[in-house]
Amino acid sequence: MNTHGEPNTKILNDFQELCRARGIPLTWQRQAVLAELRGRADHPTADRIYDAVRVEHPGISRTTVYRVLETLVDLGVVGRASHPGAAARFDAVTERHHHRLCTSCGRLEDVPPTDVHALDVDVDLPAGYTPHDYSIHFRGTCAACTSAGAPDVAKSNKEENPS
């Protein structure tokens, strides 16, 4: 259940098996939210997922979508991609990967692993510290915003509030 390209039937079958193994009911709400998220690569917020799911399921509540997303994260079926000062966004790719955020338009994209593996990062962790996960978030201006002349919000904020 880790890549956007897997067929939805396999994903839902794997999810059904996981729910059965963990003793968690396989509800239509969980299936609908997972199917919606698996069909996207844009790292949507919970509200965007809610808006999309309620098109086919108008009776679903916003609270239900939020709870389902938390359950899916707890199960390890989806990941939460967040960055300071912004709403949590959700990602159907659960393998370790990194992101780039456009500070002008807010677009959040996966960084191809080959790009990150080329970085020379020297990390000195304190003795006894055991990392369980890590990710790198690049903040900048995407090519579309740069060519459109969009302002770099992060740069503008720094100029207005120098530290």
Side-chain angles (χ1 to χ4, degrees):
M1 277 188 270
N2 305 43
T3 61
H4 295 291
E6 289 185 56
N8 264 345
T9 29
K10 179 176 178 356
I11 292 162
L12 292 176
N13 286 340
D14 290 348
F15 182 56
Q16 181 178 12
E17 290 299 316
L18 178 62
C19 287
R20 187 177 298 125
R22 299 269 184 98
I24 297 170
L26 180 66
T27 64
W28 67 265
Q29 294 93 334
R30 289 180 179 146
Q31 292 178 70
V33 170
L34 179 60
E36 176 59 33
L37 188 55
R38 295 295 307 163
R40 302 176 70 136
D42 63 343
H43 305 83
T45 62
D47 287 336
R48 285 188 181 156
I49 295 168
Y50 166 70
D51 289 340
V53 170
R54 75 180 174 146
V55 169
E56 286 192 39
H57 304 283
I60 197 165
S61 73
R62 185 180 309 272
T63 301
T64 297
V65 170
Y66 274 75
R67 287 183 181 153
V68 165
L69 286 167
E70 288 305 315
T71 299
L72 295 176
V73 169
D74 290 345
L75 289 171
V77 176
V78 302
R80 183 183 289 111
S82 55
H83 53 280
R89 294 167 69 172
F90 295 88
D91 193 350
V93 178
T94 57
E95 295 114 5
R96 176 176 294 121
H97 65 286
H98 310 287
H99 296 98
R100 60 179 164 246
L101 170 71
C102 178
T103 56
S104 291
C105 68
R107 183 180 182 133
L108 185 65
E109 299 176 310
D110 292 339
V111 174
T114 53
D115 293 351
V116 177
H117 295 311
L119 293 175
D120 183 19
V121 179
D122 185 20
V123 179
D124 186 20
L125 299 174
Y129 181 81
T130 304
H132 300 287
D133 195 13
Y134 67 89
S135 66
I136 299 171
H137 290 239
F138 296 93
R139 295 171 49 89
T141 308
C142 71
C145 288
T146 299
S147 64
D152 183 339
V153 176
K155 184 177 177 184
S156 300
N157 287 344
K158 198 170 205 170
E159 289 170 356
E160 290 173 14
N161 303 312
S163 30

